[in-house]
């Protein structure tokens, strides 16, 4: 969704107006209770991967046991375990058409694997549930990609209204789109796969805590809570909610016997793509006392270029600031990819990276332009069908 608006040009006015207007919300979770806060009815809905990994390791052990039980019930071998394929889908706004093209082309090529783990951030969060469920949802991704347009993703607010609100646009159109395709039937399908030990994770940013939250979407889908569908949809929308451009998503939580409200925004604010924490495998082996007895293949789809885009910058304050922020975000995305590569290299995990190449013309008049997204979809599809897609190392590594 990058480029839909130009928020930098209105920041000074926004600062003055915001001093006079504060939208209501419940209190934020106190700093010392961030990880204690939970959503009633969803005790294992999420983890924080930047500090204590104990809750995450516990979830992985439970996932592995469900997988082992399923394999044994089917008469399959569990020593060694079958290879585990991991898929990470990055943010990138309308660049998400690249990932949807890859997935469909990969299906057509005939060698798309089933994924043990699928993660998504921002645009990737909107794709991840369908990628998780496999090729039978390729048509859904293709339909949504074709139908996407600026008015189907956000609804712009009057400039003054936006300044005194919590975003220059509402994500109501995106919420309607998510509601159309994220149905009770889809949740049931995800819950079924979760029962087999497969994992679907989406990242959001807890703005008050300034930390990324990793949501266990299979756990949410498997819940008996009547709020499961609403929470599932909220997490997807929150992960794609660029701060300042669209309204954040408020999520009610409890901590210490009190009710609070968390404010969640685009997961890409902290990390634009993720798989697992740096120390995870060593901590898992320490917790279980066992060596990992399976191959791991990781696939990372970066829905943008890895090389910086050249652009002449006008000698104006906001043009300079906007260009600098764009460069910062682009560089952060590259660093996220390099970090995953370094972790995979150390852990002896097979690493595969797909990104939009310099040969693809990224220029388009506005975000979510239908013609542009179709070209990008076709580009990703073509690379996947021919097999000219994956590289083993990021550029300059």
């Amino acid at each position: 969704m990058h480029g839909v608006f130009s928020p930098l040009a209105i920041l000074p006015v926004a600062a003055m107006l915001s001093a006079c207007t504060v939208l209501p919300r419940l209190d934020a979770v106190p700093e010392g209770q961030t990880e204690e806060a939970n959503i009633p009815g969803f005790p294992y809905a999420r983890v924080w991967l930047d500090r204590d990994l104990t809750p995450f390791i516990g979830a992985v052990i439970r996932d592995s046991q469900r997988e082992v039980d399923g394999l044994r019930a089917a008469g399959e071998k569990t020593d060694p375990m079958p290879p585990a394929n991991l898929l990470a889908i990055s943010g990138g706004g309308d660049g998400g058409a690249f990932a949807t093209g890859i997935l469909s082309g990969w299906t057509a090529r005939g060698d798309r694997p089933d994924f043990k783990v699928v993660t998504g951030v921002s645009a990737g969060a909107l794709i991840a549930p369908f990628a998780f469920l496999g090729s039978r949802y390729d048509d859904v991704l293709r339909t949504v990609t074709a139908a996407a347009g600026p008015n189907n993703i956000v609804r712009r607010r009057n400039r003054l209204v936006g300044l005194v609100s919590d975003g220059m646009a509402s994500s109501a159109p995106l919420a309607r789109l998510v509601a159309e395709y994220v149905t009770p039937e889809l949740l049931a399908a995800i819950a079924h796969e979760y029962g087999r030990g497969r994992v679907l994770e989406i990242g959001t940013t807890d703005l008050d805590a300034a930390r990324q939250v990793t949501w266990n979407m299979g756990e949410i889908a498997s819940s008996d809570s009547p709020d499961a569908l609403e929470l599932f949809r909220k997490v997807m929308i929150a992960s794609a909610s660029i701060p300042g451009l669209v309204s954040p998503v408020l999520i009610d939580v409890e901590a210490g016997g009190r009710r609070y409200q968390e404010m969640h925004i685009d997961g890409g604010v902290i990390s634009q793509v993720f798989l697992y924490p740096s120390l995870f495998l060593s901590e898992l082996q320490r917790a279980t006392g066992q060596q990992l007895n399976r191959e791991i293949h990781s696939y990372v789809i970066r829905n943008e270029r890895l090389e910086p885009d050249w652009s002449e910058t006008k000698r104006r304050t906001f043009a300079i600031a906007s260009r600098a922020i764009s460069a910062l975000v682009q560089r952060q995305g590259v660093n996220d990819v390099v970090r995953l590569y370094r972790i995979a290299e150390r852990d002896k995990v097979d690493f595969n990276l797909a990104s939009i190449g310099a040969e693809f013309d990224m220029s388009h008049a506005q975000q979510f332009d239908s013609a542009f997204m179709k070209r990008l979809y076709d580009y990703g599809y073509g690379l996947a069908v021919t097999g000219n897609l994956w590289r083993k190392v990021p550029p300059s590594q």
Side-chain angles (χ1 to χ4, degrees):
M1 294 174 65
H2 307 304
V4 178
F5 303 99
S6 299
L8 287 170
I10 55 175
L11 285 180
V13 180
M16 290 186 290
L17 289 175
S18 63
C20 306
T21 306
V22 178
L23 298 179
R25 63 172 286 199
L26 296 182
D27 289 342
V29 178
E31 182 177 0
Q33 295 179 281
T34 296
E35 295 183 31
E36 177 189 338
N38 67 85
I39 298 94
F42 302 92
Y44 300 111
R46 68 223 188 133
V47 291
W48 286 259
L49 301 182
D50 55 349
R51 296 183 189 175
D52 181 15
L53 294 182
T54 302
F56 180 61
I57 289 172
V60 171
I61 292 173
R62 293 191 295 272
D63 296 334
S64 298
Q65 189 58 57
R66 288 197 305 276
E67 183 182 14
V68 168
D69 291 345
L71 289 171
R72 287 175 177 168
E76 302 287 343
K77 293 181 179 179
T78 59
D79 189 16
M81 291 286 285
N85 298 297
L86 319 180
L87 174 65
I89 310 175
S90 83
D94 55 9
F98 178 63
T100 61
I102 285 175
L103 291 168
S104 293
W106 207 349
T107 298
R109 181 178 168 83
D111 56 356
R112 175 176 165 182
D114 291 328
F115 296 104
K116 162 73 174 176
V117 178
V118 177
T119 72
V121 173
S122 196
L126 303 177
I127 299 168
F130 306 102
F132 177 76
L133 291 176
S135 59
R136 66 185 185 274
Y137 281 87
D138 286 355
D139 285 344
V140 171
L141 288 175
R142 186 162 44 246
T143 299
V144 173
T145 299
N151 296 328
N152 295 328
I153 303 298
V154 298
R155 184 181 68 241
R156 302 189 188 197
R157 293 179 171 128
N158 171 277
R159 180 68 61 90
L160 182 59
V161 172
L163 289 173
V164 299
S165 185
D166 55 2
M168 297 305 296
S170 164
S171 58
L174 176 60
R176 287 193 293 271
L177 192 64
V178 168
E180 181 177 354
Y181 291 100
V182 178
T183 62
E185 292 75 21
L186 182 130
L187 249 63
I190 290 173
H192 175 75
E193 296 303 318
Y194 180 67
R196 297 175 53 221
R198 297 182 62 216
V199 180
L200 171 63
E201 296 172 336
I202 286 177
T204 67
T205 298
D206 180 335
L207 189 57
D208 297 307
R211 295 172 65 184
Q212 189 173 68
V213 182
T214 301
W215 295 84
N216 187 334
M217 305 303 281
E219 181 72 27
I220 295 172
S222 301
S223 170
D224 293 329
S225 171
D227 300 323
L229 182 59
E230 179 186 8
L231 179 60
F232 195 102
R233 291 169 174 171
K234 274 189 170 184
V235 171
M236 290 180 64
I237 296 165
S239 187
S241 297
I242 298 176
L245 300 187
V246 295
S247 299
V249 173
L250 299 177
I251 295 179
D252 294 333
V253 299
E254 291 183 357
R258 285 192 57 192
R259 293 179 60 235
Y260 298 98
Q261 222 165 31
E262 295 175 342
M263 184 178 291
H264 286 262
I265 58 171
D266 195 323
V269 169
I270 303 296
S271 178
Q272 295 178 30
V273 64
F274 73 98
L275 274 173
Y276 60 86
S278 175
L279 300 177
F280 162 64
L281 285 184
S282 59
E283 292 291 330
L284 178 64
Q285 290 172 6
R286 184 177 297 111
T288 60
Q290 299 176 349
Q291 295 291 317
L292 196 67
N293 67 336
R294 70 194 312 175
E295 298 176 6
I296 301 180
H297 304 274
S298 65
Y299 299 88
V300 179
I301 300 178
R302 167 71 173 159
N303 289 310
E304 292 191 26
R305 288 179 177 172
L306 290 174
E307 299 79 11
D309 293 320
W310 187 93
S311 177
E312 183 176 1
T313 305
K314 294 180 180 180
R315 190 179 175 184
R316 293 179 181 172
T317 300
F318 297 122
I320 293 169
S322 179
R323 177 62 175 162
I325 291 175
S326 176
L328 177 65
V329 170
Q330 192 274 339
R331 191 64 232 175
Q332 176 198 340
V334 174
N335 289 341
D336 288 337
V337 168
V338 171
R339 174 175 48 82
L340 295 187
Y341 168 72
R342 293 298 186 194
I343 293 172
E345 184 180 42
R346 186 200 58 207
D347 291 344
K348 297 180 172 54
V349 168
D350 176 45
F351 180 83
N352 302 273
L353 170 65
S355 62
I356 300 173
E359 71 277 6
F360 182 80
D361 181 8
M362 291 287 291
S363 61
H364 53 305
Q366 62 178 336
Q367 285 284 305
F368 300 101
D369 174 77
S370 298
F372 165 80
M373 293 182 70
K374 183 181 185 307
R375 291 199 307 271
L376 187 54
Y377 174 95
D378 291 342
Y379 169 73
Y381 184 97
L383 289 178
V385 165
T386 60
N388 298 321
L389 179 62
W390 305 107
R391 62 173 79 177
K392 291 295 184 180
V393 297
S396 304
Q397 297 301 309

